[in-house]
Amino acid sequence: MYVHSDNSCTLTLRKTALWTLGVLCWFGVARAALAQEPIRVEQLAAGMEYRIYGISAPMSPAVKIHVLRIDPSRFKLRLLTASQTDAKLRTASAWCDDFHLLAAINAGMFLKDYSTNVGYLRVGSHIQNGRWNRKYASVLALEPLVPGMPAALMVDLDEPESKKKLTSYGSVVQNLRLLKGDGQNVWERSEKKWSEAAVATDREGKILFLFCQTPLTMWDFNRIITSMGLHIVRGMHLEGGPLASLSIRSGQTSLDLAGVYEFGGDATENISGRQMPIPNVIGVAEK
């Protein structure tokens, strides 16, 4: 093999090779995601299904995406907050147990007071955060007040009349957007990655709770979840890292998932192996 004696040229060639390898690795992940069937499918109840997708590719760590798909016309989706109940932070597991929920996931990131959602949050007359976050473009609305409205609705705030639609709902939470419109990835490539808890909606209006413990960039996470045949049209980030949580209590399934700390590269460490207390959750209950 011919090697140029100029170090700058050698360095450029190495960078080009690494970039090419990275692209090939990503396409390996994308192809795996496109071809991957769920490794577990469980019908928890009529209108509620739990799936695990195993995504793997050469030179990439094994990734499991947990998906809880809920028909909001059959179940009651609600926002629960410590500020409206007893001011007590709970793990997602404890939120399920104390409030008889079939499932619970983070409602969003919170401020340093360990209570207030970073984006707008309203539950009935209780306004936990009345300020709209200019950087957050995704909103989930639950508990319709007007007949004929969808049981759950996710909107993009940069669409016309989006806020007007929210007045027809009893509960509203604003968060950082992952996917807009017809599943369009709004994140750019980045080296930052974390465990992820997210919520999305599909073409049929079903609500999907999504959880991935393996730290991923959000660009990669979005590419994977939109390639699994779930027909996702919109999605929002709820929480990352060790605070990311998902609990399920339905049928024969009792599951508590927690995110991990990430210290660079692919090294992860889950200090406690347990969920951390959080102030706000999106819960699923019987109607």
Side-chain angles (χ1 to χ4, degrees):
M1 176 174 26
Y2 175 78
V3 179
H4 198 283
S5 59
D6 185 350
N7 288 336
S8 63
C9 181
T10 302
L11 182 60
T12 300
L13 289 171
R14 286 176 179 171
K15 287 182 177 178
T16 302
L18 288 172
W19 180 86
T20 303
L21 181 59
V23 171
L24 289 174
C25 285
W26 163 245
F27 279 122
V29 173
R31 283 197 300 270
L34 285 167
Q36 184 69 53
E37 294 294 326
I39 58 177
R40 176 178 173 184
V41 178
E42 185 175 350
Q43 194 72 29
L44 303 180
M48 185 183 297
E49 183 183 76
Y50 171 54
R51 293 186 176 195
I52 302 176
Y53 288 83
I55 312 300
S56 61
M59 299 187 69
S60 176
V63 176
K64 286 184 179 179
I65 307 289
H66 300 260
V67 181
L68 182 66
R69 188 169 182 262
I70 307 138
D71 183 345
S73 68
R74 291 176 175 266
F75 297 91
K76 184 175 183 178
L77 274 78
R78 50 190 302 215
L79 280 175
L80 291 165
T81 69
S83 60
Q84 194 184 23
T85 54
D86 54 9
K88 179 182 176 182
L89 275 67
R90 294 169 166 84
T91 62
S93 174
W95 280 106
C96 284
D97 295 341
D98 292 351
F99 290 87
H100 309 291
L101 301 176
L102 302 175
I105 195 168
N106 309 72
M109 296 184 292
F110 48 89
L111 300 176
K112 292 181 179 180
D113 63 0
Y114 289 87
S115 176
T116 307
N117 193 64
V118 178
Y120 181 90
L121 191 152
R122 168 175 58 83
V123 183
S125 60
H126 174 68
I127 301 177
Q128 188 194 80
N129 187 351
R131 298 183 63 180
W132 292 96
N133 191 315
R134 290 182 300 170
K135 297 181 180 180
Y136 287 10
S138 187
V139 179
L140 178 66
L142 306 173
E143 300 184 275
L145 304 173
V146 179
M149 294 295 290
L153 180 70
M154 189 175 292
V155 301
D156 294 307
L157 286 179
D158 50 9
E159 287 189 350
E161 304 293 317
S162 57
K163 281 189 179 180
K164 185 177 180 180
K165 297 176 183 177
L166 303 178
T167 61
S168 300
Y169 287 84
S171 296
V172 174
V173 60
Q174 178 197 24
N175 281 304
L176 195 61
R177 181 165 59 183
L178 292 176
L179 301 163
K180 67 176 291 186
D182 194 18
Q184 181 181 341
N185 189 349
V186 299
W187 282 68
E188 297 180 353
R189 292 178 176 88
S190 170
E191 294 183 359
K192 295 180 180 180
K193 52 187 176 179
W194 50 76
S195 301
E196 176 67 9
V199 63
T201 183
D202 67 14
R203 293 176 187 169
E204 297 178 1
K206 305 296 192 299
I207 296 297
L208 287 73
F209 289 178
L210 303 161
F211 182 89
C212 180
Q213 186 183 66
T214 302
L216 295 173
T217 70
M218 289 301 94
W219 188 82
D220 285 341
F221 179 79
N222 290 343
R223 288 291 297 269
I224 290 173
I225 64 173
T226 53
S227 69
M228 296 192 303
L230 296 172
H231 307 298
I232 293 174
V233 293
R234 288 181 177 85
M236 67 164 60
H237 167 78
L238 298 176
E239 187 58 272
L243 287 166
S245 307
L246 172 63
S247 288
I248 300 174
R249 300 282 187 278
S250 182
Q252 301 299 312
T253 299
S254 181
L255 178 71
D256 298 312
L257 299 171
V260 296
Y261 291 90
E262 198 240 332
F263 295 107
D266 292 323
T268 60
E269 181 181 358
N270 192 339
I271 300 298
S272 66
R274 300 180 187 141
Q275 292 179 337
M276 299 178 68
I278 51 179
N280 310 306
V281 295
I282 303 171
V284 182
E286 297 281 4
K287 275 196 169 184

